Each structure stands twice: as structure tokens, then as C-alpha cells.
Amino acid sequence: MTFRARHLLGIEPLAPEEIRTVLDLADRYVELNRRTVKHADALEGMTQINMFFEASTRTQASFELAGKRLGADVMNMAVAQSSVKKGETLIDTALTLNAMHPDLLVVRHPNSGAVNLLAEKVNCAVLNAGDGRHEHPTQALLDALTIRRAKGRIHRLTVAICGDIAHSRVARSNLILLGKMENRVRLIGPPTLMPPGVAEFGCEVFDDMSEGLKGADVVMMLRLQKERMDGGFIPSEREYYHRFGLDAEKLAHAAPDAIVMHPGPMNRGVEIDGTLADDINRSVIQEQVEMGVAVRMAAMDLLARNLRAERGRALTGGADV
Ligand code: NCD
């Protein structure tokens, strides 16, 4: 089992075998989560604090469940009612919480890089639950697990990531992960929603769904991130749906057994047709949510093992015991 990381800040620093380690352990947690009694003790006695400075349903709920199922004491910081509203900086908030000796800190923040900065100031393991447009590593890992379980592998697949790529940390983490695992990634969307320098990731770029989806094994749709747009990126939502919204007709260009994914929250009728999103023969959107809990359990379990080992070494003056 290989997993060396001290924090989970992004997919970028992970080696392919570390990604495989998370997915393999997560597969075991999927089994546990399907039982009536869902308890394991990997985080027994540990304290997990969730700090979400941006709205979240799935990610926060699944981090909370994941921690509780592994026996941690989980605290959700109510950011809206906290001193953050009185102007306390992120670092001051983090240092205050750090003094309470958490073992795992789960952080979502609207600024890219904020979570990395915070990780330098605290003594515990930090998990990035999404920072600005930068990374959302557990989302990419849960997507990889969903794909691996549906397709039997997570290499040599053609994956189309469609829509608002420019504002999406999900797209960024996914294309890094899929590239590391030797898949072919295509990005499809209007040129106004493509990030600059996209070519350096080594993926093909399309602005036409019928061309870009041709033969794709996986079709990953993204939400139009209106909260991150400061100008008119698209002519209208109706026009956007017409050209880039996924429906059965556009999906017919992909491989006959292609799966449809979406990280949620969905704008039905904007980036995806509601009936297709609910079609259990094509859509794996609910499986993604299920895999989210298992992947977060696996990630926290692995980080906790490294944390224990590190603290053990500190106690014995550096020698491994
Ligand atoms: C995503 C996020 O917050 O980055 N959602 C999620 O975590 N499931 C995607 C989004 O907000 O569109």
C-alpha cells in the first residue's frame, strides 16, 4: 500500500500508485457502507473539523458521514455564524482551531490556493474540499472510482469533460487524474469557457458536442458556475442548452455503452436534460454520490495512518518503531 501524502491538497502531487491505493481502499469502504452497521475504527479518538467557506451539500455531508462512520469526533464549523463574519482572517481562524488539536481539517474556500496556505500553518492533516478554480481532489477520486467500477478500468478510456471548464476545479482535478492514469481526455465547451493554457494539459479541445463526443466512453457534464462569472460568457441559457446541453440525441454520438456523470449540483435544462440525468441505464450520478462517502473514508483513513506514524516518529526522536 503506497500513500505518502501528509495532506490531500490536490491530485497534482499524487503518484498513480497513490491514486490506486485510495481507490482500492475505497472499494472496501463501499462494502462497509452497504451494511446495516457501518462502523469502522480507523479514526477512533481523532477529531475532524469541517470548515466550509462556500456552499456545499454533497461534499460536506459526505465528509461528515465519512468521519462519523470511521469513529472520529466530527465538528462542522458554522462559518456563517463564526468570527469570520467579524473579519477574522482565514489564518487566524485556522490557528484558533489548531489550538484545539484537531487531527483532520476539511476545508472548502472560494480562493484558489487558500487551502494550501492554511496547511502550512497547522499541525494536522488538511483535506481540500474545493478551493476556487484550483482543485477538488476528492471529487476527482470519487469520479475515478465510479468510472473504474462501471468500466472495469481507469486507463485507456476516452473521457469527454463538457461545459464550463474555465471555472471548474472539478474539471481541473479530473483532467490531471485522468492524464496521470493514461486516459484520453477531451474538453468540450464554448471558447469563452475554456481556461487559458489548456493545451499544456495535453487534451483535445472541441467546441462542438457531436464531434467531441464521438466514441467517448465517459461523458462528464459540468455545472455552469454562474457565481464565478463576472461577465457574459454565454449568449443565453437557452442557446447554451441547444449547443452544449446533453440530451439523448447528443449522447448518441458517444460509445453505445457510454456513462453520463455530473458532480452536482445540476442545472436541469441548462447543461443536462433532466430525463437523461435520471436514466439509470446511462447516468451514474447517484453512484458518484455513493462513491463520495467511500473515497472520503479512504482518504481520511490513509492520512490518519501517516499522521500516527509521523507522531510516533516524533516521540521516538526520529527512529521508526
Ligand atoms: C462541485 C464543486 O463545488 O466544485 N460540486 C461538488 O463538489 N459536488 C461542482 C459545482 O459546484 O458545480
Side-chain angles (χ1 to χ4, degrees):
M1 223 189 221
T2 317
F3 192 81
R4 286 174 293 266
R6 184 176 197 279
H7 304 292
L8 182 60
L9 301 175
I11 298 297
E12 190 105 61
L14 296 182
E17 62 267 29
E18 291 181 294
I19 294 171
R20 254 176 250 120
T21 298
V22 179
L23 302 186
D24 292 347
L25 183 58
D27 263 330
R28 304 207 333 241
Y29 281 127
V30 173
E31 297 312 312
L32 177 74
N33 288 338
R34 288 180 179 176
R35 295 196 207 136
T36 310
V37 177
K38 300 169 180 65
H39 276 148
D41 58 5
L43 303 182
E44 197 67 60
M46 289 193 159
T47 300
Q48 173 190 336
I49 301 182
N50 298 334
M51 293 165 81
F52 280 66
F53 295 90
E54 223 185 54
S56 172
T57 309
R58 277 151 285 268
T59 308
Q60 178 159 4
S62 64
F63 264 115
E64 182 175 352
L65 269 184
K68 287 181 171 163
R69 287 184 184 170
L70 294 181
D73 294 315
V74 185
M75 193 265 264
N76 289 307
M77 206 182 83
V79 173
Q81 281 102 50
S82 73
S83 291
V84 172
K85 289 282 159 202
K86 299 180 185 168
E88 188 172 68
T89 65
L90 172 68
I91 298 304
D92 280 333
T93 308
L95 291 177
T96 302
L97 292 174
N98 191 50
M100 299 179 193
H101 298 292
D103 303 288
L104 297 146
L105 209 49
V106 179
V107 188
R108 168 170 285 193
H109 200 277
N111 299 346
S112 306
V115 185
N116 292 52
L117 182 69
L118 188 145
E120 290 170 13
K121 312 279 180 194
V122 295
N123 311 318
C124 59
V126 177
L127 293 102
N128 181 1
D131 64 324
R133 307 174 186 188
H134 179 227
E135 281 238 36
H136 192 351
T138 54
Q139 180 70 44
L141 289 163
L142 77 87
D143 288 339
L145 183 64
T146 308
I147 296 172
R148 194 173 80 166
R149 290 172 69 99
K151 295 280 156 205
R153 64 183 198 275
I154 186 68
H155 60 274
R156 272 190 267 134
L157 292 165
T158 300
V159 181
I161 306 181
C162 317
D164 184 359
I165 316 284
H167 300 101
S168 178
R169 53 197 176 208
V170 175
R172 208 168 166 280
S173 288
N174 260 303
L175 68 90
I176 298 170
L177 186 150
L178 292 165
K180 281 183 195 272
M181 307 311 272
E182 292 174 18
N183 296 280
R184 198 163 147 193
V185 181
R186 298 186 191 153
L187 302 179
I188 316 175
T192 48
L193 294 179
M194 283 294 161
V198 81
E200 53 185 82
F201 286 104
C203 35
E204 299 166 274
V205 179
F206 298 84
D207 69 352
D208 180 281
M209 290 286 273
S210 54
E211 257 181 69
L213 289 181
K214 221 168 267 170
D217 301 298
V218 176
V219 182
M220 196 180 279
M221 301 309 298
L222 298 171
R223 181 176 68 89
L224 265 190
Q225 307 233 336
K226 295 176 214 162
E227 76 277 20
R228 294 189 216 284
M229 297 184 185
D230 46 14
F233 284 81
I234 54 161
S236 74
E237 285 185 3
R238 223 172 129 236
E239 168 72 13
Y240 182 82
Y241 181 66
H242 177 67
R243 291 201 54 204
F244 297 101
L246 188 70
D247 56 13
E249 203 182 313
K250 293 195 190 80
L251 183 62
H253 295 283
D257 61 349
I259 55 168
V260 174
M261 306 178 74
H262 193 304
M266 267 187 282
N267 294 309
R268 290 172 185 258
V270 179
E271 68 261 355
I272 190 164
D273 168 55
T275 317
L276 179 58
D278 297 333
D279 179 354
I280 53 165
N281 295 313
R282 304 312 298 270
S283 160
V284 294
I285 296 171
Q286 296 309 320
E287 276 88 332
Q288 286 175 270
V289 178
E290 183 186 5
M291 295 311 125
V293 181
V295 152
R296 288 170 179 126
M297 290 166 84
M300 290 197 290
D301 176 346
L302 291 164
L303 289 173
R305 293 181 204 199
N306 290 350
L307 195 65
R308 274 197 207 95
E310 187 188 308
R311 287 176 180 167
R313 278 194 299 273
L315 282 177
T316 57
D320 272 313
V321 277

